[in-house]
Each structure stands twice: as C-alpha cells, then as structure tokens.
Amino acid sequence: MELYLDLLKKVLTDLHRIEKGEYKPLTQSGLSWKQKFLVPFDKLLRRNNYSICKHIVPSIAARSAGIDWPASAETMIGLKRLDNIQFCIEQIVANGVKGDLIETGVWRGGAVIFMRAVLKAHHVTDRVVWAADSFEGLPKPDESRYVQDKGDTHHRYEILNVSLDEVKYNFKKYDLLDDQVKFIKGWFKDSLPGAPIKSLALLRLDGDMYESTMDALVNLYPKLSRGGYVIVDDFNTVKACRLAVEDFRTKQGIKDEIMPIDNESIYWKKS
Ligand SMILES: C[S@@+](CC[C@H](N)C(=O)[O-])C[C@H]1O[C@@H](n2cnc3c(N)ncnc32)[C@H](O)[C@@H]1O
C-alpha cells in the first residue's frame, strides 16, 4: 500500500519525469497575454543581467514544494501537500471521524485522485470524494460581494480552465473513477449552498481568491466534523485567500492552531 501511494504521488506531480530529465514546466501556451509579453521581454533583460520575472528552475525541490506549475502533471501542489492529504485521511480513518472528503478547486484533479487512492488503499468504502470546481477556471472578481478581490487576475489564466471531461479522464487513467467520486460543477457561490453533502471529515480549499475561499468556508465548514481537517493551499501565497481565512476564523471564533505544511500551505484540526 505504501509503495502504491508513494508511486502515485511521484506520477501525479511529475516527479518521476524530473528524475528522468523529461519534466516540462508550463509553456507559453498556458500563460496569460501579459505573461506572454513579459517572458520574451525578460529574456532580453536577462542578457544584461536584469530581470522582472521570478525564475523557478525545475527541480525535485521545487516540484516537491509545489512552487511551479507543471505542463502535464495532474496536480500542481507538490509532494509535501500530497503527504499532508495522506496524513489527514489516515488520521480521520484511524480516529473514526465521520464524513466525506472534498477539494474546492481541483484543476486537473490530481489532489482528488490522490484522495480516492488513499481511501482505496485503506479499503474505505463508506466515504465519498467530492470534487468541486467551475471546470472553466476562476471567476472574474466581483467587488460588489468581496472588495478584497479587486484587481484579481486569476480568471485570465487559460491554463486554469480544465473541463469536467478532462478531470474524469484523469481519474480513469488511474482506474479510480467510480461511485465514491462525485463532482460539483459551478461557481462555488451557486453550487456549494445546495450541495448534497451530509458531513465532511476533510475540507481542502484551493480556489485562490477571497470569494472562492470564503464561499467554501461559509457553506462547508459547518458540515465539517470535530476532529476533521481544513487545508488551505494558498494561505501564504495569495493575500486575499489568507484574509478570507482570517476573517472567517475571527467571525466564528476559531482558535484551533494553524500548522504549516510547506511554505505556501497550512492546515488545522477542528476541535
Ligand atoms: C489552483 S487551481 C487548483 C489546483 C489543484 N487543487 C491541484 O491539485 O493542482 C484552482 C482551481 O479552482 C477553481 N476555482 C477557483 N475559484 C472558483 C470558484 N469560485 N468557483 C468554482 N471554481 C473555482 C478553478 O477552476 C481551478 O480549477
């Protein structure tokens, strides 16, 4: 079982390709028009030892930490965050914490594919993995609801627009698409309030924006069982995401200790 999950983590992150020297980070086809313009300009500048872009050299360390965006891997989140998902699920199962597992913001599906694999490896047949996404990228910022998203540009990233069919296909590749996987399609503000989820043991947030983080917390945190886990992927990298978490915790009086996963992500256990 351990070997299966370790191998899966390597393949879902493309770490196996780095080891073989075949790894490809995101190419220009997936970039926004601004980046398409900036990348060649930056190349010119670098000839004179100047730079305006952050450079991440593909490496095992970068992919383990999930700090680059892979061209073809099923997940961008890296090894440490997959280890954290496995840890949380194993704790939940060992402690008999009631409820399903969900990720809000699945992209190509790697993290939810891995959740399903961990359940299978532990012969868990009474929990569902929910995959919630628009399956068409991020929403335009709606300042009338959340001014904190003002100027957010995530909706311009074509690469974040992955269809439901593609995610289902990715599950099938690993032989993990079955009735323990359910999809919730739509903007979180519309799809999560009426989602047919009874209870949750794991709530993984990876929607980047204030709106996406807050809408998931407001609608799903009340369904999270005591002893269950909340994981926030973008806590240290996207200011608006962190703000949403802090606002929600303050409003709800949540004092549970925030624990680091890697430089970008955190989690806490609901008491
Ligand atoms: C950074 S990606 C998620 C990465 C993924 N968890 C992984 O394992 O690689 C963000 C995803 O969140 C989705 N998303 C963000 N905000 C959303 C919203 N408000 N409603 C629906 N989907 C949203 C996007 O469509 C995108 O697929």
Side-chain angles (χ1 to χ4, degrees):
M1 174 199 84
E2 211 50 48
L3 271 179
Y4 164 66
L5 292 178
D6 284 349
L7 180 63
L8 205 57
K9 281 184 266 192
K10 269 188 164 181
V11 176
L12 289 168
T13 53
D14 257 4
L15 268 168
H16 66 308
R17 289 210 167 92
I18 297 191
E19 286 169 359
K20 287 176 75 186
E22 291 170 356
Y23 175 73
K24 287 199 188 79
L26 193 67
T27 59
Q28 265 182 264
S29 64
L31 302 177
S32 69
W33 66 269
K34 248 191 202 168
Q35 289 168 312
K36 279 179 190 160
F37 167 75
L38 286 178
V39 169
F41 185 52
D42 186 67
K43 268 190 192 153
L44 279 177
L45 286 176
R46 270 193 285 153
R47 285 189 200 154
N48 296 303
N49 291 329
Y50 292 105
S51 178
I52 49 165
C53 297
K54 186 167 138 196
H55 291 278
I56 299 167
V57 181
S59 66
I60 290 181
R63 204 71 284 281
S64 295
I67 58 175
D68 61 344
W69 286 8
S72 58
E74 283 86 4
T75 181
M76 58 173 76
I77 69 173
L79 198 59
K80 288 183 188 164
R81 280 173 251 170
L82 289 178
D83 284 342
N84 165 260
I85 291 175
Q86 184 178 349
F87 166 80
C88 291
I89 299 176
E90 287 174 350
Q91 288 292 307
I92 287 161
V93 173
N95 297 326
V97 179
K98 227 183 98 199
D100 294 335
L101 323 173
I102 190 169
E103 183 175 53
T104 54
V106 305
W107 193 46
R108 295 174 183 154
V112 271
I113 290 170
F114 186 64
M115 287 182 193
R116 178 67 193 96
V118 178
L119 290 184
K120 194 156 207 165
H122 286 277
H123 310 289
V124 177
T125 54
D126 58 351
R127 298 181 197 256
V128 165
V129 173
W130 296 88
D133 207 294
S134 65
F135 299 102
E136 51 182 272
L138 284 93
K140 286 186 181 159
D142 180 353
E143 287 171 42
S144 66
R145 291 184 74 223
Y146 298 120
V147 71
Q148 297 85 342
D149 282 329
K150 188 175 177 191
D152 190 281
T153 57
H154 279 96
H155 64 282
R156 296 205 191 119
Y157 287 72
E158 287 160 38
I159 191 70
L160 293 175
N161 179 349
V162 179
S163 72
L164 177 55
D165 281 347
E166 192 174 332
V167 176
K168 282 186 179 170
Y169 172 75
N170 288 340
F171 267 94
K172 273 191 204 150
K173 279 195 295 192
Y174 295 93
D175 236 348
L176 288 169
L177 187 67
D178 60 14
D179 57 7
Q180 273 179 263
V181 180
K182 296 205 185 316
F183 298 93
I184 303 174
K185 184 171 163 36
W187 302 117
F188 298 155
K189 68 180 163 82
D190 307 318
S191 65
L192 297 181
I197 301 168
K198 286 201 179 91
S199 68
L200 288 168
L202 180 64
L203 168 56
R204 188 172 200 284
L205 311 176
D206 198 357
D208 301 283
M209 298 169 72
Y210 188 99
E211 160 179 338
S212 312
T213 309
M214 187 56 96
D215 288 343
L217 282 169
V218 166
N219 290 293
L220 300 175
Y221 195 80
K223 296 186 177 181
L224 187 69
S225 305
R226 289 214 168 130
Y229 291 90
V230 183
I231 304 169
V232 188
D233 192 89
D234 311 295
F235 188 79
N236 288 316
T237 41
V238 184
K239 202 173 150 199
C241 164
R242 186 188 186 124
L243 208 59
V245 172
E246 289 173 347
D247 288 350
F248 183 78
R249 282 175 56 101
T250 305
K251 202 165 173 210
Q252 300 294 318
I254 299 166
K255 300 261 190 297
D256 299 327
E257 186 188 355
I258 289 184
M259 292 172 286
I261 299 168
D262 54 22
N263 287 340
E264 303 197 354
S265 308
I266 59 97
Y267 72 114
W268 78 83
K269 186 175 177 179
K270 185 173 183 178
S271 61

